[in-house]
Amino acid sequence: MHVFTDPDNFDAYVSGFLWILKLTGASAVCALVIGVLLAAMRVSPVPVLRGFGAAWVNIFRNTPLTLVIFFCYFGLYATLGLSLSQDLDLNIYWLGVIGLSTYTAAFVCEAVRSGINTVPTGQAEAARAIGLSFAQTLRIVVLPQAARSVIAPLGSVLIALCKNATIVGTIGLLESSNIMKDLINSNGDAVIVIFLVFAGTFAALLIPTGYFFGWLANRLAVKR
Amino acid sequence: MATGEPLIVLDSVNKWFGPLHVLDDVSLSVGRGEVVVVIGPSGSGKSTLCRTINRLEPINSGTITFNGRTLPAEGKALAKLRSEVGMVFQSFNLFAHKTILENVTLGPIKVRKDKPAAARERGLALLDRVGIANQADKYPAQLSGGQQQRAAIARALAMQPKAMLFDEPTSALDPEMVGEVLDVMTSLARDGMTMVVVTHEMGFARHAANRVIFMADGKLVEDAAPTEFFANPRSERAKDFLSKILTH
């Protein structure tokens, strides 16, 4: 364990995981908002919106995340000149958030849409029959009932997002996987320990997340 | 009884589900305060007919007018129209995540923009009228089928509709609960509500309807007063249908 008792190494380890948490947090919020909107589009009666939602899902769900992240850096930043911060790290961070959110939103959309499909059509019909608009029907009647079946899959999406955040390392952010690579390079005698510590930290963060979402899904269950 | 211009008018309405012609050139008018019962064998298009009136089912050709206006396309105007037409479904369709009282007050608060306190008071009065005021704070799954359907009727009435559509309201109920729902419907009919009722309850058709419509294969086959229809059905299809259901 001598690797992690060195204060510099320990600080690097902590800052690597802090980047992961920040990437996950910001991307989760953006992806949730975009994903729910996309799901609403995909079940809407307007063909143009349905097409837009379907296109987004088909493009980003079927593109490797590495490509999406590379495009954010080499396309949006290096070629198109989109700079989101004067600070180099923060700029890469926000480019990473854009890529992760865009990609993850496609999965959120599909989780929400499959949840919507578990709500009996009669619920939406009854809502429309009393004069609620499409948006009101979705917001007041359908989505709250879809929550039960959406929460658990959304937990899986969040867990995947957290692990996917390491890919932002490929465009230069010193997040956990880059830190791990550095530590391994300079501590060839402790490769296994370093691996186990990093993998263990991810597990320690994510296993409780999974249980929390399972518990939440049960709490929000709707009786029929 | 019907007075003045009719409230609901269907003119040469056609609808297909793929190759299936579910509504075949159906024309029908329902006067204000009139109670029209629609009967016919399964698959005759009677439920579809009922659902076209508030455009839960769009039609392929023909026109439907409600209160003098052609049914609008999907959007704000249609939502407004639907708020004026109460609908009661075979499977109740109460909002499963809301209490009975919330089910009844949701429309008034969100669509009619009534004050919550006023909506609540009216909602409780309506629940009292259908005999389930003591169930107000329960969730739909905690009620019997008959109670749920009466709550669904109260939910529709809370919008102060100009007409009520009933799509086989008693078909999903245990036999001993059919009566309590029919009683509520009969009292509505007596109070002068305009009603279109798709049902297999011949007793209700006999004593509460002003007219009986008989449908078969998507066509409107007969349109007569109940006494006349049950005593002297004119078409072979209606004779056949009545002989099958009335001999038991």
Side-chain angles (χ1 to χ4, degrees):
Chain A
M1 290 303 286
H2 66 278
V3 179
F4 294 96
T5 50
D6 178 304
D8 286 349
N9 287 353
F10 186 76
D11 287 351
Y13 159 82
V14 170
S15 77
F17 273 101
L18 279 180
W19 277 123
I20 292 293
L21 290 180
K22 284 187 217 164
L23 283 167
T24 307
S27 306
V29 173
C30 297
L32 185 66
V33 173
I34 300 171
V36 170
L37 287 176
L38 287 172
M41 287 180 187
R42 291 205 72 175
V43 299
S44 82
V46 185
V48 179
L49 294 181
R50 280 206 302 272
F52 179 83
W56 185 303
V57 168
N58 283 325
I59 290 170
F60 292 109
R61 198 172 55 164
N62 299 307
T63 308
L65 178 58
T66 323
L67 258 70
V68 176
I69 297 289
F70 273 14
F71 177 80
C72 287
Y73 187 80
F74 293 108
L76 293 182
Y77 171 63
T79 308
L80 299 173
L82 178 72
S83 180
L84 297 157
S85 171
Q86 297 298 317
D87 184 281
L88 198 65
D89 277 347
L90 273 182
N91 188 40
I92 296 175
Y93 165 76
W94 284 114
L95 290 168
V97 168
I98 290 178
L100 287 171
S101 315
T102 309
Y103 176 84
T104 308
F107 293 89
V108 171
C109 167
E110 289 306 274
V112 171
R113 193 166 69 107
S114 70
I116 287 173
N117 288 337
T118 65
V119 180
T121 48
Q123 294 286 311
E125 282 188 349
R128 286 154 68 207
I130 59 171
L132 294 180
S133 68
F134 172 76
Q136 284 177 317
T137 299
L138 211 54
R139 188 166 50 80
I140 302 171
V141 175
V142 177
L143 285 178
Q145 294 188 63
R148 182 210 171 136
S149 39
V150 171
I151 293 289
L154 279 187
S156 302
V157 172
L158 180 67
I159 288 170
L161 168 63
C162 181
K163 296 185 293 179
N164 286 342
T166 56
I167 291 182
V168 182
T170 58
I171 56 172
L173 193 68
L174 283 177
E175 47 62 58
S176 60
S177 68
N178 268 347
I179 299 289
M180 184 179 82
K181 202 172 63 190
D182 290 352
L183 289 181
I184 287 175
N185 283 340
S186 47
N187 299 280
D189 58 332
V191 173
I192 303 291
V193 171
I194 294 170
F195 259 122
L196 288 178
V197 167
F198 276 85
T201 308
F202 269 108
L205 288 172
L206 295 178
I207 290 173
T209 307
Y211 280 107
F212 171 72
F213 274 82
W215 171 82
L216 200 62
N218 282 328
R219 272 212 49 171
L220 294 174
V222 177
K223 275 207 192 70
R224 286 195 194 287
Chain B
M1 284 296 116
T3 50
E5 66 166 26
L7 185 60
I8 304 167
V9 181
L10 283 76
D11 187 24
S12 313
V13 169
N14 282 285
K15 178 172 177 70
W16 282 267
F17 283 131
L20 190 66
H21 204 169
V22 278
L23 292 178
D24 186 350
D25 204 33
V26 172
S27 296
L28 167 71
S29 81
V30 180
R32 286 165 207 276
E34 203 172 20
V35 177
V36 174
V37 167
V38 185
I39 62 175
S42 308
S44 58
K46 51 194 196 306
S47 275
T48 308
L49 175 77
C50 187
R51 291 161 56 88
T52 58
I53 297 174
N54 67 354
R55 211 172 183 279
L56 280 181
E57 296 286 353
I59 55 175
N60 295 107
S61 72
T63 56
I64 301 177
T65 46
F66 182 82
N67 202 18
R69 293 206 328 268
T70 306
L71 288 199
E74 203 74 41
K76 273 214 175 77
L78 183 61
K80 172 93 174 67
L81 176 129
R82 283 178 177 146
S83 74
E84 295 173 0
V85 184
M87 176 121 196
V88 176
F89 300 86
Q90 181 175 348
S91 46
F92 329 134
N93 295 349
L94 289 170
F95 305 131
H97 63 311
K98 302 233 175 248
T99 66
I100 297 304
L101 184 60
E102 286 168 348
N103 264 275
V104 175
T105 56
L106 182 70
I109 293 172
K110 298 290 179 185
V111 178
R112 293 172 54 92
K113 310 289 180 197
D114 290 356
K115 291 221 164 60
R120 203 183 137 78
E121 196 177 320
R122 258 190 62 80
L124 282 170
L126 280 166
L127 289 177
D128 190 42
R129 177 174 172 186
V130 299
I132 49 169
N134 54 346
Q135 314 287 335
D137 295 320
K138 290 192 181 164
Y139 285 87
Q142 296 170 292
L143 268 59
S144 72
Q147 290 172 325
Q148 288 192 54
Q149 193 61 297
R150 286 184 281 154
I153 294 173
R155 175 176 67 181
L157 290 175
M159 297 303 291
Q160 305 179 357
K162 293 189 170 72
M164 290 278 285
L165 309 173
F166 293 84
D167 184 6
E168 303 204 23
T170 57
S171 299
L173 295 177
D174 291 338
E176 78 268 24
M177 293 168 186
V178 169
E180 64 196 51
V181 171
L182 290 180
D183 286 346
V184 170
M185 291 167 60
T186 307
S187 92
L188 265 182
R190 286 216 187 91
D191 292 349
M193 176 61 77
T194 307
M195 293 163 64
V196 175
V197 184
V198 175
T199 188
H200 296 291
E201 298 298 329
M202 297 304 142
F204 179 80
R206 275 178 202 277
H207 74 252
N210 301 114
R211 273 158 66 203
V212 171
I213 304 278
F214 178 74
M215 286 187 73
D217 303 323
K219 292 192 188 66
L220 198 158
V221 179
E222 288 200 38
D223 179 348
T227 44
E228 190 187 326
F229 175 78
F230 287 109
N232 303 303
R234 289 186 305 264
S235 65
E236 285 306 315
R237 285 304 302 268
K239 280 178 195 163
D240 184 48
F241 178 74
L242 287 177
S243 74
K244 278 177 185 149
I245 58 164
L246 294 180
T247 48
H248 297 290

